Each structure stands twice: as C-alpha cells, then as structure tokens.
C-alpha cells in the first residue's frame, strides 16, 4: 500500500508543497511499483497493464520536463527513486 503523506513529506520543497514536479514523480513511482508487483502475480490483467502504461507515460513526460528545467534536481531525483535515465541527446 502507498503511504502518500510520507512520500509527499519526503519530496516536498516546503511545508504545503503537494503538487510540485518532484512530488508528482515520486507518487507516480510509488503507484508504478505497486502496480508492477500486482501484475507479476496477475499476468492476465490487461486493464492493469494499460493503467501501468499510462502511468509510465505520465511519469516520463514529467521527468522530461524536470530534465529540461532543472537538470541537477532531475539527476538527484532519478538516483533517489532508482529510475533509469534515458540517453541524453546533444543537439
């Protein structure tokens, strides 16, 4: 089960911060990990698989935004949450 309040307190920038990018990514990561465990036991849950894909896409978009706006925070958060980073494309 996800302890939402503890996750928010861990990743919040200040006392009333509940919707910053880092908090949203941390909450999505908790939900993704929880759903992944569920899907290992219930392989035929196609609706759950679709939900997992949607959550991954949302988290990927938020990570892309964070990488664009605050790269140091992006590196720290991905290391803390153990999220694999994609290859950086230098243009």
């Amino acid at each position: 089960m996800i302890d939402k309040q503890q996750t928010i307190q861990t990743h919040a920038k200040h006392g009333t911060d509940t919707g910053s990018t880092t908090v949203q990514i941390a909450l999505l990561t908790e939900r993704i990990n929880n759903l992944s465990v569920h899907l290992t036991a219930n392989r035929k849950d196609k609706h759950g698989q679709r939900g997992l894909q949607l959550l991954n896409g949302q988290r990927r978009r938020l990570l892309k935004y964070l990488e664009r706006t605050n790269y140091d925070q992006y590196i720290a958060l991905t290391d803390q949450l153990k999220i694999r980073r994609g290859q950086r494309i230098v243009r």
Side-chain angles (χ1 to χ4, degrees), residues 6-13 17 20-27 29-30 33 59 63 66 71-85:
Q6 182 182 2
T7 304
I8 290 171
Q9 288 174 358
T10 304
H11 298 283
K13 295 178 183 175
D17 178 21
S20 67
T21 309
T22 55
V23 172
Q24 290 182 49
I25 291 170
L27 288 173
T29 301
E30 291 289 326
N33 292 341
R59 183 178 71 175
L63 283 168
L66 187 62
Y71 188 70
D72 294 332
Q73 192 174 14
Y74 166 77
I75 295 294
L77 185 66
T78 52
D79 287 342
Q80 185 179 13
L81 295 175
K82 298 182 178 99
I83 298 173
R84 287 183 292 162
R85 293 188 289 271

Side-chain angles (χ1 to χ4, degrees), residues 8-85:
I8 290 171
Q9 288 174 358
T10 304
H11 298 283
K13 295 178 183 175
H14 51 80
T16 59
D17 178 21
T18 58
S20 67
T21 309
T22 55
V23 172
Q24 290 182 49
I25 291 170
L27 288 173
L28 283 171
T29 301
E30 291 289 326
R31 288 180 63 194
I32 287 169
N33 292 341
N34 193 21
L35 192 54
S36 296
V37 170
H38 166 76
L39 288 175
T40 55
N42 301 288
R43 294 192 180 275
K44 294 187 178 186
D45 185 1
K46 301 300 178 187
H47 296 292
Q49 289 175 5
R50 182 172 189 277
L52 180 63
Q53 290 174 348
L54 291 174
L55 290 174
N56 273 329
Q58 187 175 2
R59 183 178 71 175
R60 188 174 351 110
R61 287 190 300 273
L62 285 169
L63 283 168
K64 196 179 207 181
Y65 168 77
L66 187 62
E67 180 184 17
R68 221 177 34 240
T69 56
N70 191 346
Y71 188 70
D72 294 332
Q73 192 174 14
Y74 166 77
I75 295 294
L77 185 66
T78 52
D79 287 342
Q80 185 179 13
L81 295 175
K82 298 182 178 99
I83 298 173
R84 287 183 292 162
R85 293 188 289 271

